[in-house]
Amino acid sequence: MKEINQHQLEALIDSAKLAREFAVAPFSNFKVGAAILTEGGGVFTGCNIENASYGLTVCAERVALWKALSEGGYGFMHLVVVADTNDLTPPCGACRQIIWEFAGDISVTMTNLAGESETIRMSELFPRAFDVKFLDDKGSGR
Ligand code: THU
């Protein structure tokens, strides 16, 4: 898998921070931004979007991925997640499942507004994932 360079990473972080500004988070006041880079150089961004029924909230990471997939994005290479926390915010469990399924073992940079960051691979964030390979090995189905 292609690795991001420093210039691309800085630009991707800026894109995620800009997306975070659009967060719709009136219930938690917790704004998150995400940006995903493809091997072809495409960038897709997302913010978290909350709503009055709470449970239908969508995280920034999934918004970015849904936007990417619905616009023909493929070959995902690197994801940035930004929130205003001292402990760097990682993708939630649901997002980890989705990122794994649609982007595989990509690198994820978690960063905050103070400029701290850490990069980790999905296989470290989400070890022993359930995915389609188990469905291929499902036996009789009863
Ligand atoms: N949230 C994200 O968008 N991404 C994460 O990685 C963690 C949580 C959102 C969901 C909700 O709108 C708010 O942050 C608080 O959980």
Side-chain angles (χ1 to χ4, degrees):
M1 195 174 293
K2 255 167 99 176
E3 293 299 326
I4 199 168
N5 65 41
Q6 194 57 31
H7 173 74
Q8 286 174 309
L9 180 57
E10 282 164 22
L12 200 63
I13 290 172
D14 284 346
S15 296
K17 282 184 181 163
L18 184 61
R20 181 182 166 277
E21 294 297 317
F22 298 115
V24 182
F27 304 106
S28 71
N29 282 314
F30 189 84
K31 293 180 168 191
V32 186
I36 193 159
L37 176 70
T38 70
E39 288 180 352
V43 173
F44 300 90
T45 62
C47 60
N48 53 327
I49 303 177
E50 300 180 349
N51 64 92
S53 66
Y54 292 13
L56 297 179
T57 290
V58 190
C59 293
E61 296 90 325
R62 269 175 287 158
V63 171
L65 256 178
W66 296 155
K67 281 172 64 184
L69 290 165
S70 62
E71 291 171 21
Y74 65 93
F76 301 114
M77 178 176 152
H78 202 103
L79 173 70
V80 167
V81 182
V82 60
D84 187 15
T85 53
N86 292 324
D87 274 350
L88 300 173
T89 297
C92 79
C95 287
R96 291 179 202 200
Q97 180 71 41
I98 294 297
I99 297 163
W100 180 262
E101 176 144 358
F102 293 104
D105 193 16
I106 61 168
S107 293
V108 178
T109 296
M110 302 169 284
T111 187
N112 63 16
L113 299 188
E116 295 159 321
S117 70
E118 183 185 342
T119 299
I120 188 170
R121 290 192 79 100
M122 275 305 296
S123 50
E124 285 181 82
L125 264 179
F126 197 51
R128 205 163 172 179
F130 171 78
D131 59 25
V132 71
K133 75 174 187 279
F134 293 94
L135 300 180
D136 292 339
D137 187 26
K138 64 185 183 303
S140 72
R142 17 185 17 216

